[in-house]
Amino acid sequence: MAIQRIKIEGIEELTKQIMNLSDDKMKRRELLKILRRQAKPLLAAIKSKAPVADKAITIKGRTRLDGTKIETKTYERGNLQKSFVIKTGKSKQWPHVVVKPDSGKNAKYDGWYVHFLAYGTAHIQGDDFIKKGADEKLPTISVTASEELRRYVVKKTKQIPFIK
């Protein structure tokens, strides 16, 4: 899966000002709100570009080498589109969000197979729909994200008594 990074102009200056604000929990929460809001158009673009099967797909179960059985599973049409979510990173020092397919036992829509569709296999032609969706929205996101961060920093610095 292609990892897309956004470079925001003037982020170093904003970061210094944000670090001068008090209460790390509040800073992290506010930054994550801004980042989640900015990731929503990217999520929508990726979902719109994701391929949809013509019919439900069933993957037959098998037995692993260690003897455990993998159950047969059916994936409905549009499962991959519905599996994409915005996840918050766990880092306390560097707040970030990730747009990715949800997967695992507890996932309502399991998109574990996304890399096969994005990059292809010997039997499937790849279509990097994630990169296409990201390329479509990232220029807009970087501009609006930097503007929202700037507004947040200005608002919070005005709350500090000695800064006017």
Side-chain angles (χ1 to χ4, degrees), residues 105-156:
K105 288 183 179 180
N106 298 329
K108 184 174 180 181
Y109 302 103
D110 191 357
W112 65 271
Y113 53 90
V114 69
H115 55 284
F116 296 129
L117 299 174
Y119 299 116
T121 66
H123 307 288
I124 301 171
Q125 176 66 38
D127 173 27
D128 200 354
F129 61 93
I130 297 169
K131 183 170 179 8
K132 288 177 186 174
D135 288 345
E136 184 180 293
K137 292 294 179 182
L138 285 180
T140 310
I141 290 172
S142 64
V143 171
T144 56
S146 61
E147 181 58 30
E148 273 201 55
L149 283 169
R150 188 192 63 73
R151 275 188 268 145
Y152 170 73
V153 170
V154 167
K155 178 179 128 187
K156 291 301 177 183

Side-chain angles (χ1 to χ4, degrees), residues 37-135:
R37 205 173 2 214
Q38 295 305 313
K40 284 181 183 178
L42 178 61
L43 176 67
I46 291 173
K47 282 185 172 188
S48 72
K49 303 269 186 212
V52 178
D54 297 334
K55 58 182 178 167
I57 297 171
T58 300
I59 297 177
K60 294 181 180 176
R62 60 181 174 81
T63 304
R64 291 187 178 149
L65 293 174
D66 64 0
T68 58
K69 294 193 187 260
I70 299 173
E71 65 187 56
T72 299
K73 189 152 183 166
T74 301
Y75 295 97
E76 298 298 324
R77 292 185 73 236
N79 179 70
L80 184 63
Q81 284 180 327
K82 294 174 187 171
S83 74
F84 276 92
V85 293
I86 299 171
K87 292 280 188 175
T88 302
K90 296 193 184 314
S91 172
K92 300 293 182 205
Q93 186 178 6
W94 303 104
H96 65 281
V97 295
V98 178
V99 177
K100 67 181 205 111
D102 205 6
S103 61
K105 288 183 179 180
N106 298 329
K108 184 174 180 181
Y109 302 103
D110 191 357
W112 65 271
Y113 53 90
V114 69
H115 55 284
F116 296 129
L117 299 174
Y119 299 116
T121 66
H123 307 288
I124 301 171
Q125 176 66 38
D127 173 27
D128 200 354
F129 61 93
I130 297 169
K131 183 170 179 8
K132 288 177 186 174
D135 288 345

